[in-house]
Amino acid sequence: MENKKKYHFPFSAIVGQDNFKLALILNLVDPLIGGVLAIGDKGTGKTTLIRSLTSLMENQQKHPFVNLPIGVSEDRLLGSIDLEQLINTKKEVVNLGLMAQAHQGILYVDEVNLLQDYLTDILLDAAASGNYYLEREGISRYFKSRFCLVGSMNPEEGSLRPQLKDRFGLSVNVTTPTDVKIRQKIIKQRFLFDDAPIPFIDAYKSKDATIAKQIIKAKEVLLSIKITDEIIEYCSEIAVLHQVEGLRADILLVKTARAFSAYKNATEITKKDVDTIADFVLNHRSLNPNQNQQNQAPENKDEKPPKNPSETNASKEEKIAFLIPKNKFQKQKNSTKNTQENGVNSIKNSAGNITITDTKKTVGQYLATDKFDLKTKRKSTLLKQHHIFLIDSSGSMLKNQIIAYAKGSVHKIAENSKNQNTQFSIISLFDGDAQLILNQTAVLGDVEIALKNLKTGGKTNLSAGFKLIKRNCANIDFNHNLHIITDGKLNAENNLEDTVLSFQTYCKGIDKTQIIDAEKGIVKIGEAKELANSIHANYEILITENL
């Protein structure tokens, strides 16, 4: 009975989890993909499937499978010096750490989200460089540690640090099967294995061997798979569509599609191959919000939406027409500007000349040489204008019809800025949250409809709005102009310092920022003006009539 613990469930005997299986196989074909993160419910067999990989690995001495327990010590992870040998025999004997043992193999971390932060930092360094140094008792040793990192986690038990999550090349979501027949088959397979493991393993040996041979063959032809410029461009288009950060997603889309093509014994990558594996790469990287939730209004106008605290004053406010402020908002003019000062890797000017990252050349060179060197190119075209309106529609803005003048400001700026190269987006701040209610439209009618349907009430959270802006200004072909209309009365938990930090973090793609101060009253707190000074924005006061 004790020997049962040494047996692993056969890979081909696993029922379901096809996506997870494929993601693991592709990492065996090309270990440089960088591993797999399995996110899902507890009790779905994530650990069982990962451990079953041992049945597919051709040489476990050359390609080891190493399990990293959550309670591992730093010495166990990195390695240690045998002090007894050092003192008694004057010999430097090093006990290899788990990361060194996992070189050219798989390092598996169950419940990776519960791993201590300092151990996570160590893993990050090794995963990035493929090596590490052990510094102990005046002794320094260098170890190669290029491993495929496989982790599993249950999101209910805590989140994973973004830096570590991005280091996983692929990610899959594992859910509990709802098909009764599949559940029955899983239970039967489990009982057969537990009751008689050796006959059960023998029954699936040939299937596992077939998969293992297919993996070996795929590794042999991997570098001969043709990668066309069209495929690289297609991968980059997908990455831009999902608004991912950096170029890792572009590279991994190509790498993973190449491994998939090799595994199915093809000679070149097709767009269908990319589509098949795209979710693996983008599951944990995509910043693109669900577009189906944007600009959705009930088709039945007579149907009343459910009431909530943020709409208690909406019916009163909706009766107020647009009130155009006295401000002479001028049409934006193009001017020479180096946007690298704002953190965007491009240079734009009135002639429309842009220096941008050449994704195709960058990714192509990386795949050919395995060295990352950022390539740029100049683009000569007339830049489009994108005006993003961040409207404070909180309860304090409802007082004395201020929100109506805010709407009028948006309408006036949009009217003055309209042309064939201009688009508009609107983000509403209400009830302590932010909502993208209009996403890059050139139709002024859409702007008017969005303003009429603007939800109001509650408190102001500018930081939530800045997070949405990051997703909304990724397109390099636009000059992004941000107009913040607020009275500056922020949530108590969102102080000015935190708000400025949030702007600096999420609004690096903004070219110009304008704050229109809507604060009224005899005594003013002046938060909007102070914010404008802190983020170096143009500052204007909303000039209204009869207020």
Side-chain angles (χ1 to χ4, degrees):
M1 295 296 291
E2 292 180 359
N3 289 334
K4 258 186 215 182
K5 296 179 182 178
K6 298 180 181 179
Y7 299 133
H8 295 302
F9 207 88
F11 185 86
S12 56
I14 301 287
V15 178
Q17 300 193 26
D18 293 338
N19 284 341
F20 195 6
K21 285 182 179 179
L22 179 58
L24 290 169
I25 287 173
L26 296 180
N27 271 274
L28 292 182
V29 173
D30 185 1
L32 293 179
I33 287 175
V36 186
L37 174 64
I39 306 171
D41 305 330
K42 52 190 175 185
T44 51
K46 299 187 295 294
T47 302
T48 301
L49 176 56
I50 293 168
R51 292 186 186 280
S52 71
L53 278 177
T54 55
S55 61
L56 303 182
M57 300 173 75
E58 52 182 319
N59 184 345
Q60 290 191 38
Q61 289 185 341
K62 186 178 179 181
H63 304 288
F65 182 96
V66 177
N67 181 47
L68 192 156
I70 289 299
V72 67
S73 66
E74 184 177 350
D75 281 346
R76 186 74 184 95
L77 182 63
L78 290 170
S80 60
I81 304 297
D82 192 326
L83 292 179
E84 186 177 350
Q85 292 280 352
L86 184 63
I87 294 170
N88 296 333
T89 66
K90 308 295 183 182
K91 291 182 180 180
E92 296 179 0
V93 178
V94 178
N95 300 316
L96 287 182
L98 294 177
M99 289 197 305
Q101 293 177 31
H103 180 56
Q104 293 187 332
I106 292 175
L107 183 64
Y108 169 51
V109 190
D110 191 13
E111 297 179 326
V112 63
N113 52 320
L114 302 182
L115 195 65
Q116 297 182 46
D117 283 347
Y118 78 97
L119 296 178
T120 300
D121 293 336
I122 294 171
L123 274 179
L124 279 172
D125 290 340
S129 62
N131 58 74
Y132 70 92
Y133 282 91
L134 173 65
E135 307 284 350
R136 290 288 187 274
E137 290 78 36
I139 297 173
S140 179
R141 287 290 183 88
Y142 169 83
F143 292 100
K144 292 182 179 180
S145 184
R146 177 127 356 233
F147 50 79
C148 174
L149 185 62
V150 179
S152 60
M153 61 174 281
N154 177 8
E156 292 180 357
E157 297 172 346
S159 59
L160 186 65
R161 285 176 59 183
Q163 298 95 328
L164 182 57
K165 182 184 286 188
D166 190 52
R167 283 297 172 187
F168 285 97
L170 310 181
S171 170
V172 292
N173 294 315
V174 182
T175 57
T176 305
T178 56
D179 190 317
V180 175
K181 290 183 178 180
I182 292 178
R183 294 171 76 106
Q184 285 178 330
K185 190 172 182 181
I186 292 172
I187 294 169
K188 289 179 180 178
Q189 293 283 80
R190 187 75 243 183
F191 270 89
L192 287 171
F193 175 75
D194 289 343
D195 294 342
I198 296 177
F200 185 83
I201 292 171
D202 288 341
Y204 286 92
K205 267 187 177 179
S206 61
K207 291 183 179 179
D208 281 357
T210 300
I211 297 173
K213 287 179 182 178
Q214 196 172 348
I215 291 171
I216 294 171
K217 186 176 181 181
K219 293 176 75 170
E220 292 172 351
V221 302
L222 180 66
L223 299 182
S224 65
I225 300 296
K226 186 178 180 181
I227 304 173
T228 63
D229 288 346
E230 182 184 10
I231 288 298
I232 295 177
E233 183 177 0
Y234 183 62
C235 290
S236 295
E237 287 173 354
I238 292 175
V240 170
L241 179 65
H242 285 265
Q243 300 178 7
V244 297
E245 295 182 344
L247 290 170
R248 184 173 281 124
D250 305 57
I251 293 169
L252 284 172
L253 283 168
V254 179
K255 273 184 173 290
T256 311
R258 181 174 67 174
F260 179 63
S261 300
Y263 182 68
K264 67 175 192 173
N265 200 27
T267 56
E268 68 176 275
I269 305 171
T270 65
K271 289 184 178 181
K272 188 176 180 181
D273 295 336
V274 176
D275 293 337
T276 301
I277 56 83
D279 283 347
F280 296 162
V281 176
L282 300 170
N283 274 338
H284 56 310
R285 292 186 174 89
S286 177
L287 296 177
N288 194 11
N290 188 353
Q291 295 182 358
N292 293 329
Q293 295 179 355
Q294 298 174 10
N295 306 327
Q296 286 187 351
E299 293 182 4
N300 184 0
K301 295 181 180 180
D302 297 328
E303 183 180 349
K304 295 182 179 180
K307 293 183 179 180
N308 60 59
S310 67
E311 296 176 335
T312 52
N313 294 320
S315 58
K316 175 182 176 182
E317 192 276 327
E318 287 296 343
K319 297 178 182 178
I320 303 173
F322 293 163
L323 300 179
I324 307 299
K326 290 183 177 180
N327 302 60
K328 295 181 180 180
F329 296 112
Q330 300 297 323
K331 185 173 182 179
Q332 294 282 348
K333 294 181 179 179
N334 290 334
S335 60
T336 302
K337 183 167 186 177
N338 185 343
T339 59
Q340 287 182 328
E341 294 175 0
N342 287 337
V344 179
N345 294 323
S346 63
I347 301 175
K348 307 176 182 179
N349 57 36
S350 58
N353 294 319
I354 323 168
T355 299
I356 62 175
T357 300
D358 191 331
T359 305
K360 187 185 296 185
K361 286 185 178 179
T362 302
V363 174
Q365 175 174 292
Y366 179 85
L367 290 169
T369 65
D370 204 28
K371 292 182 180 180
F372 184 81
D373 185 16
L374 193 65
K375 301 294 183 181
T376 60
K377 62 182 178 181
R378 293 189 63 82
K379 189 175 182 180
S380 181
T381 181
L382 182 63
L383 286 174
K384 299 177 182 179
Q385 298 297 316
H386 180 206
H387 293 275
I388 306 171
F389 298 98
L390 187 59
I391 306 175
D392 180 354
S393 58
S394 61
S396 60
M397 289 285 287
L398 287 173
K399 186 179 179 181
N400 297 323
Q401 299 182 336
I402 296 175
I403 188 64
Y405 281 99
K407 290 181 178 182
S409 297
V410 174
H411 187 268
K412 190 170 183 179
I413 293 172
E415 183 69 31
N416 290 342
S417 305
K418 66 178 181 180
N419 61 57
Q420 60 181 356
N421 289 319
T422 303
Q423 293 191 356
F424 307 98
S425 296
I426 299 177
I427 297 173
S428 172
L429 301 176
F430 69 98
D431 202 21
D433 203 354
Q435 182 180 17
L436 180 65
I437 62 174
L438 189 65
N439 186 22
Q440 288 191 247
T441 179
V443 182
L444 284 179
D446 292 343
V447 175
E448 294 183 7
I449 293 172
L451 291 173
K452 287 179 180 178
N453 294 328
L454 192 71
K455 293 181 180 180
T456 55
K459 297 180 179 180
T460 306
N461 185 351
L462 279 172
S463 296
F466 293 152
K467 288 182 181 179
L468 288 183
I469 286 171
K470 179 179 179 179
R471 304 170 180 173
N472 205 241
C473 61
N475 196 329
I476 196 69
D477 291 330
F478 282 88
N479 263 320
H480 301 285
N481 306 282
L482 174 61
H483 308 271
I484 305 173
I485 306 175
T486 181
D487 59 6
K489 297 176 182 178
L490 308 177
N491 287 5
E493 57 269 24
N494 296 109
N495 57 42
L496 181 63
E497 183 179 350
D498 291 339
T499 303
V500 172
L501 180 61
S502 180
F503 175 86
Q504 293 170 342
T505 302
Y506 297 109
C507 298
K508 293 179 180 179
I510 295 297
D511 296 282
K512 295 180 181 178
T513 304
Q514 176 189 41
I515 290 184
I516 301 173
D517 189 354
E519 184 180 17
K520 298 299 173 185
I522 298 174
V523 179
K524 299 180 181 179
I525 60 174
E527 287 278 341
K529 186 173 183 179
E530 193 171 348
L531 175 62
N533 292 333
S534 299
I535 64 176
H536 308 292
N538 294 329
Y539 175 77
E540 288 193 36
I541 297 174
L542 185 68
I543 302 174
T544 58
E545 296 177 344
N546 303 323
L547 287 181

